Amino acid sequence: MMVEKSVILQMIELLGCREPQVHLIGGYYQNVYEIAAEEPMVVKFFNRTFNEDQQVLSEIEWIEHLHNNNVNTVVPIKINNNDSYINRLAGEHFCVVYRKAQGEHVDINDEQVWNSKLFARWGRGMASMHALSQSFTGSSVFPDWTEQKLFTLNTDHLDSRINEKWTLYNTELRDMHTSPANYGIIHGDLHHHNFLVQNGELTFIDFGDSEYHWFAYDIAIAIYHAAQTVKDAVKRKEFAKRFFNAFMEGYEVNHPVKEVRTQVDYFINYRHLYSYVYHMQFSDKDNLDEKQLNYLQDMGQSIINQDSYLGIALV
């Protein structure tokens, strides 16, 4: 979902900023912009074809709940005395505005920052979110993982061996035990690009994938994407062990649930498969370069040829 120029111009008028102050900063659909005003802001665009108002409002309520309970998060703001955080634009478009959080994205090549101390703080922050899930009473209905559009799409075009694994995992998940201790609202995408660091403190951003899921899956996402920063397979295994131990040391300070730890390996392998299926269903193949297409092909082969992404068990 590329944001049309006319929609961006509407947002500029809404915020009273100037076009040179507006910069694209990312998002899976290239829909997140920074406004370099006197008080910097971040604007996230949505299209009702893909995102309903209530879905976005539930995300905002969750962020406010975390922020009000001492978890460092981005803070949504209301514009021009609007009663809602939803700012309606042309057609099916709307946007939400956030105060730009302080800090920088972590540099994985800087060992003074990318280290066990950071991993433990990361884990402690995630655990705080999981613990607060039990006290959340938002007025908007929060989605369950089974409600994702991904699970309604036909996967017959995938390699039959991958499709078989996908079907098996989703059958197992629907039968898996849940309790308030191991299942609740997760961030859903808390890799190292989704927090900012300032003076050792982490501020968490981009809650667009939050949903009800197993807490172990949230942990697995962090491990999976952190491990991907290490290209050599042997070194990746060593790094994953160090990362896991430091992350869980922090995590278990705020949410010491043994069952969560024991499910992590399962969900790391599920994340690898989920990521592949997601990209195969939603990425625009015509606009992928050769490197990206090769990456997807290699990803598919690894799912076919091996049952464990890391090649080791962390627990």
Side-chain angles (χ1 to χ4, degrees):
M1 183 195 79
M2 293 293 292
V3 183
E4 298 172 5
K5 182 69 175 289
S6 60
V7 176
I8 295 173
L9 291 175
Q10 268 196 292
M11 177 271 294
I12 289 172
E13 182 178 356
L14 175 72
L15 298 180
C17 59
R18 294 178 291 107
E19 191 170 347
Q21 295 175 304
V22 180
H23 307 284
L24 175 67
I25 58 174
Y28 188 82
Y29 296 105
Q30 301 294 290
N31 62 324
V32 182
Y33 286 75
E34 179 179 342
I35 313 299
E38 185 176 344
E39 293 187 11
M41 296 170 282
V42 172
V43 178
K44 188 170 184 179
F45 289 93
F46 299 90
N47 187 312
R48 288 185 182 82
T49 305
F50 308 104
N51 301 100
E52 297 179 0
D53 291 30
Q54 287 302 311
Q55 177 186 348
V56 176
L57 287 172
S58 66
E59 173 190 338
I60 292 172
E61 285 188 331
W62 173 234
I63 291 171
E64 289 182 316
H65 179 65
L66 296 175
H67 185 75
N68 292 337
N69 285 277
N70 303 313
V71 177
N72 294 334
T73 66
V74 290
V75 178
I77 54 179
K78 293 178 180 177
I79 302 299
N80 298 339
N81 299 316
N82 189 351
D83 291 335
S84 173
Y85 290 109
I86 301 290
N87 299 286
R88 303 184 186 283
L89 303 171
E92 295 297 305
H93 297 279
F94 64 96
C95 69
V96 175
V97 182
Y98 298 88
R99 185 175 297 116
K100 187 177 186 298
Q102 298 295 308
E104 303 293 335
H105 289 286
V106 63
D107 180 357
I108 63 171
N109 297 309
D110 184 354
E111 294 181 359
Q112 297 298 314
V113 179
W114 185 248
N115 54 37
S116 294
K117 186 178 292 186
L118 173 77
F119 305 155
R121 284 177 176 154
W122 187 351
R124 193 158 58 245
M126 181 183 287
S128 295
M129 297 183 207
H130 294 172
L132 286 166
S133 171
Q134 298 179 40
S135 59
F136 179 65
T137 55
S139 59
S140 300
V141 177
F142 222 89
D144 186 80
W145 70 273
T146 57
E147 298 174 53
Q148 283 190 45
K149 182 180 179 181
L150 180 64
F151 300 106
T152 68
L153 300 178
N154 188 291
T155 55
D156 290 344
H157 60 287
L158 300 178
D159 184 287
S160 61
R161 293 161 293 183
I162 293 175
N163 202 11
E164 183 179 346
K165 288 188 176 186
W166 179 243
T167 301
L168 177 60
Y169 263 109
N170 289 307
T171 300
E172 291 175 345
L173 287 172
R174 290 172 191 275
D175 292 334
M176 190 176 287
H177 167 71
T178 64
S179 73
N182 77 350
Y183 189 92
I185 301 172
I186 67 168
H187 181 283
D189 201 26
L190 196 49
H191 51 68
H192 54 284
H193 295 299
N194 277 339
F195 59 79
L196 303 174
V197 183
Q198 185 178 52
N199 299 325
E201 295 297 318
L202 277 58
T203 298
F204 302 104
I205 64 176
D206 194 1
F207 288 78
D209 290 320
S210 293
E211 61 185 353
Y212 280 99
H213 213 303
W214 284 267
F215 296 141
Y217 182 49
D218 224 9
I219 297 169
I221 290 168
I223 297 169
Y224 173 76
H225 291 285
Q228 285 188 319
T229 66
V230 182
K231 303 307 178 187
D232 180 80
V234 174
K235 291 181 179 178
R236 184 188 302 140
K237 293 175 185 178
E238 296 169 353
F239 171 81
K241 288 179 182 178
R242 292 198 310 273
F243 181 94
F244 175 73
N245 290 335
F247 190 95
M248 293 307 295
E249 181 180 344
Y251 183 90
E252 290 174 343
V253 169
N254 288 341
H255 194 63
V257 180
K258 183 178 180 181
E259 184 180 6
V260 172
R261 172 183 279 264
T262 61
Q263 293 174 327
V264 169
D265 284 310
Y266 177 89
F267 279 110
I268 290 174
N269 298 324
Y270 173 70
R271 178 62 176 186
H272 188 47
L273 175 61
Y274 174 95
S275 296
Y276 176 79
V277 174
Y278 189 95
H279 290 312
M280 291 298 292
Q281 296 286 36
F282 294 120
S283 61
D284 184 354
K285 309 297 187 306
D286 293 334
N287 286 322
L288 297 182
D289 58 32
E290 185 178 356
K291 182 179 179 181
Q292 291 169 322
L293 290 171
N294 288 339
Y295 176 80
L296 274 178
Q297 185 176 4
D298 291 344
M299 199 175 182
Q301 283 303 311
S302 70
I303 293 168
I304 292 169
N305 295 331
Q306 59 195 53
D307 291 324
S308 169
Y309 169 70
L310 292 174
I312 57 167
L314 297 175
V315 181

